[in-house]
Amino acid sequence: MTDKTQFVHNLGFTEDPFALTNADDERRLPEYFVEPPFFPAVFGNADFPKPFFVFAPRGGGKTAQRIMIENRCRARNVLSLTYVDFDFFGISKAREVTLEDHVRRILRIGMLGILVEIYDQPALKDRLSRSEKSMLARLINRHLGNLKFSELNATLNSLKSLSDKIADFVNKYRVPLEAGASSLSQLVLGQDVVDVTESASTVDAFEPKYELELLVDFAKKIGFRSVYVLVDKVDETAYAGNKPLESFRIIEPLIRSLNILETHGIGFKFFLPIEMERLFRKVGRPDRTPYRKLEWRKNALMQLLSKRVKAFSDRRVSKLDSVSESLPSFGIDEIVVAFAQGSPRDLIRLCDHIITEQMELDSGSANLTVFGIYNGLESYCKYLGDELFSVQDLNSFRRIGNPAHQIDFTIRYLANNIFREKQASTRSRIKRWKDLGIISDLGRITSTTGNKVKLYGVKDIRLARIMAGQIDTKAFINEKLRSCPNCSEFFIRDFGQEDSNEICPFCGFDSTISDISPYFQPEADDDSDLVDNSPRQLSLPDYNE
């Protein structure tokens, strides 16, 4: 049987384009990275760096942005300190982490970075006076002394912009590194440094702001333009427990401290989960620390997919359509982008599902068949459904979709026809699903009594596919998926039914009247008009209210 390597070669690829989903593992990332519009603002001015916050969903490209900032730091002579380790010795709860804990960890990375740079270019130490060398030695002793082996490795891994210099440094100085920092500082800075055990030092008492300023001064003296601190992976800490609030509490002391964030010569760049945006706006200072949300629209994901398949095929394959059978409605590139739900990682995972299913059907195939594509979509939706939604919610939405394969609804319809319960109970369901981000307002429709009532629908196309499981994939795509004629974004709806609408959730365009819908409104934060006292009109002949 053909293995996967041979199979992707048959498709025209030099390597599997969809084998990796973690940006830290993707050595070819610069070849297919797609800059968001605000990317230059994230990096900013290297000579006058400012803080910046980026929020994105899991798999939305936060780490990819961080890596590309690291690369830009390397190219523009900026000392970048990648801050991704938030497991502190002796701390078991997120709320116990202090501002001083963060600054100490940042200084540890920074001091080691200074040492590595001076080791790589020994003449740089001559730019420092004897007293400056003494001060630097004291800081090195404070922040690198008595490092555990695991802490040493984590610190070295945080110097991404100096990665090409670290291996030689470690090979020569691993023994003194593990033995202690005082001997190391003398080996790198020279024997003329003042004994770091002396007590007459202006840094004996830990002063976070002052020591960060010293770090910047030393970095500039040896040739760096500035220092960047890149904060990522806060939600991957053990004691955060995959809870956004707990993750936020870890980093909250640093976010609250404008005094630290606005340290001259340091640019703090945060890459945080989208769930933290609301928390940031409550305790941070958006007027002083700008932020942006990373959202992937159709055209950007299409560009990412094209660049990725080009990179892994020596540019022989520019899109999946060229290695696939024709589909009846949209091309495969458009379909996988629609089902990726705005996530680069899910885009890669879906393509991997399709390749795997195609191999199961015909491992010798030189293209992706319609059956392989549809089978891949089905396995992917089931996989993502089990990953993203609870069993209880999945069962509830299957009830809504069975047997009429509906994906949008009103409160009255759910209460009377699906759950057979009081409307108050259904309103509670709706509110919970809205709070979880599972459903959204789809505007208003006219009930049989002539009243305007709210229409709701699921946000995630994978969940919609599970709901409409009674029809095949081809029928689902034909009946439920559209590309807005105004903004070209994909959206899902019960198209053609009188009790639905065709209002694009991205631009508000209503294709039934060829205009921006007057009923299109952004989703409200409250549920003041959730009450629906009118019956829902049903166009399906086998249902009657």
Side-chain angles (χ1 to χ4, degrees):
M1 181 177 178
T2 305
D3 63 16
K4 198 169 188 180
T5 300
Q6 182 59 51
F7 182 74
V8 296
H9 285 173
N10 293 346
L11 294 176
F13 298 108
T14 56
E15 300 176 57
D16 186 352
F18 312 115
L20 301 173
T21 59
N22 188 343
D24 276 321
D25 301 326
E26 299 191 51
R27 57 184 176 81
R28 304 178 71 165
L29 176 65
E31 297 179 53
Y32 43 81
F33 178 72
V34 176
E35 287 189 5
F38 57 83
F39 184 75
V42 179
F43 188 83
N45 186 333
D47 294 315
F48 302 97
K50 301 294 182 183
F52 202 102
F53 287 77
V54 175
F55 296 94
R58 182 173 296 179
K62 298 184 297 295
T63 296
Q65 273 206 72
R66 188 210 80 211
I67 291 171
M68 296 307 292
I69 293 292
E70 290 167 354
N71 290 349
R72 187 168 288 198
C73 285
R74 184 183 295 110
R76 301 193 179 183
N77 202 27
V78 172
L79 176 59
S80 70
L81 315 178
T82 302
Y83 187 27
V84 295
D85 180 12
F86 301 95
D87 290 319
F88 295 90
F89 180 74
I91 292 178
S92 58
K93 296 180 180 178
R95 67 188 65 192
E96 295 175 357
V97 180
T98 67
L99 176 64
E100 288 73 20
D101 290 324
H102 289 302
V103 176
R104 288 181 189 276
R105 183 85 36 109
I106 292 166
L107 285 166
R108 176 197 295 174
I109 302 168
M111 290 303 145
L112 190 55
I114 297 289
L115 278 180
V116 170
E117 187 68 12
I118 292 177
Y119 163 75
D120 184 65
Q121 301 181 64
L124 293 178
K125 67 177 180 290
D126 296 332
R127 299 182 182 182
L128 305 176
S129 67
R130 188 171 184 274
S131 62
E132 288 170 337
K133 290 179 184 177
S134 175
M135 177 67 75
L136 178 57
R138 293 175 187 277
L139 290 171
I140 290 169
N141 188 55
R142 179 198 294 281
H143 298 292
L144 296 178
N146 302 316
L147 274 186
K148 297 180 177 64
F149 182 75
S150 59
E151 293 174 325
L152 170 61
N153 281 340
T155 306
L156 289 167
N157 289 334
S158 296
L159 295 167
K160 306 292 186 181
S161 63
L162 302 178
S163 57
D164 56 331
K165 305 174 181 180
I166 286 176
D168 190 43
F169 175 82
V170 172
N171 288 337
K172 183 170 183 179
Y173 289 129
R174 179 172 291 279
V175 173
L177 266 171
E178 295 171 356
S182 58
S183 60
L184 178 64
S185 61
Q186 289 188 337
L187 287 170
V188 177
L189 298 177
Q191 295 298 321
D192 60 337
V193 297
V194 175
D195 184 357
V196 295
T197 61
E198 290 181 3
S199 60
S201 169
T202 57
V203 294
D204 278 348
F206 179 53
E207 301 177 32
K209 175 80 168 182
Y210 174 59
E211 294 193 23
L212 284 174
E213 291 171 342
L214 286 176
L215 171 63
V216 173
D217 288 343
F218 287 126
K220 288 185 174 182
K221 282 183 180 294
I222 64 173
F224 289 108
R225 296 168 66 183
S226 56
V227 177
Y228 278 29
V229 178
L230 311 181
V231 183
D232 190 15
K233 300 183 181 294
V234 180
D235 55 333
E236 297 182 14
T237 303
Y239 43 74
N242 199 30
K243 298 176 181 177
L245 179 57
E246 291 301 298
S247 298
F248 185 78
R249 281 174 174 161
I250 295 171
I251 205 69
E252 183 178 354
L254 192 55
I255 292 175
R256 284 182 178 274
S257 179
L258 274 178
N259 185 46
I260 294 296
L261 294 185
E262 294 183 338
T263 301
H264 182 71
I266 296 185
F268 284 87
K269 313 294 179 179
F270 293 80
F271 304 90
L272 302 176
I274 192 68
E275 295 84 359
M276 292 187 186
E277 183 213 350
R278 176 178 56 85
L279 301 168
F280 161 75
R281 286 190 278 109
K282 286 185 176 181
V283 306
R285 288 289 302 273
D287 58 322
R288 301 265 290 274
T289 54
Y291 74 98
R292 292 291 296 272
K293 291 187 287 185
L294 179 57
E295 298 176 324
W296 289 86
R297 295 294 179 89
K298 174 185 173 182
N299 290 339
L301 279 178
M302 293 285 286
Q303 182 185 4
L304 172 63
L305 180 58
S306 177
K307 292 181 72 171
R308 192 177 187 101
V309 296
K310 284 179 182 178
F312 285 92
S313 67
D314 288 338
R315 305 187 68 80
R316 291 192 298 268
V317 179
S318 61
K319 55 183 181 178
L320 291 180
D321 283 336
S322 64
V323 294
S324 305
E325 290 183 350
S326 297
L327 298 175
S329 49
F330 302 99
I332 181 176
D333 297 82
E334 290 183 301
I335 287 176
V336 295
V337 164
F339 275 79
Q341 199 69 34
S343 167
R345 180 177 295 163
D346 286 347
L347 176 68
I348 297 168
R349 292 203 287 178
L350 171 53
C351 292
D352 184 61
H353 272 264
I354 291 173
I355 286 178
T356 300
E357 291 295 329
Q358 182 61 56
M359 283 186 63
E360 290 292 322
L361 287 172
D362 181 3
S363 61
S365 176
N367 64 2
L368 301 173
T369 65
V370 172
F371 286 115
I373 294 167
Y374 286 164
N375 286 356
L377 285 171
E378 289 296 313
S379 68
Y380 163 80
C381 288
K382 183 181 185 304
Y383 179 84
L384 264 290
D386 292 339
E387 177 182 299
L388 297 175
F389 308 104
S390 69
V391 173
Q392 178 184 358
D393 286 332
L394 284 175
N395 289 337
S396 294
F397 282 106
R398 284 191 179 101
R399 288 179 64 182
I400 296 172
N402 180 29
H405 51 83
Q406 292 177 231
I407 61 173
D408 51 48
F409 39 81
T410 65
I411 289 177
R412 181 63 176 262
Y413 172 72
L414 294 187
N416 291 352
N417 295 72
I418 302 299
F419 299 115
R420 310 294 182 180
E421 63 188 8
K422 295 181 179 179
Q423 288 193 37
S425 298
T426 302
R427 286 197 295 273
S428 296
R429 290 179 187 268
I430 292 289
K431 185 177 187 308
R432 175 177 169 275
W433 288 337
K434 285 182 66 178
D435 290 343
L436 290 173
I438 298 176
I439 66 172
S440 61
D441 296 343
L442 302 180
R444 295 178 181 272
I445 60 172
T446 302
S447 70
T448 54
T449 62
N451 295 327
K452 296 291 184 182
V453 296
K454 273 192 175 182
L455 181 69
Y456 299 94
V458 295
K459 289 183 175 182
D460 196 305
I461 190 173
R462 287 80 57 104
L463 179 56
R465 178 67 195 111
I466 293 170
M467 292 173 68
Q470 303 78 30
I471 59 176
D472 61 27
T473 305
K474 175 183 175 182
F476 174 82
I477 292 172
N478 287 339
E479 294 179 19
K480 308 297 182 183
L481 181 65
R482 293 287 186 276
S483 178
C484 175
N486 183 57
C487 69
S488 83
E489 295 296 329
F490 287 115
F491 66 104
I492 51 175
R493 201 78 87 249
D494 285 329
F495 293 103
Q497 294 192 23
E498 294 179 7
D499 43 7
S500 186
N501 66 35
E502 298 189 15
I503 301 172
C504 173
F506 296 95
C507 68
F509 183 82
D510 188 345
S511 59
T512 61
I513 59 175
S514 301
D515 201 354
I516 300 297
S517 171
Y519 305 114
F520 175 76
Q521 296 176 341
E523 186 174 338
D525 290 332
D526 60 75
D527 60 347
S528 58
D529 56 349
L530 285 177
V531 179
D532 177 359
N533 293 316
S534 302
R536 183 182 192 220
Q537 281 186 302
L538 288 175
S539 58
L540 296 173
D542 55 345
Y543 267 78
N544 289 290
E545 286 195 60

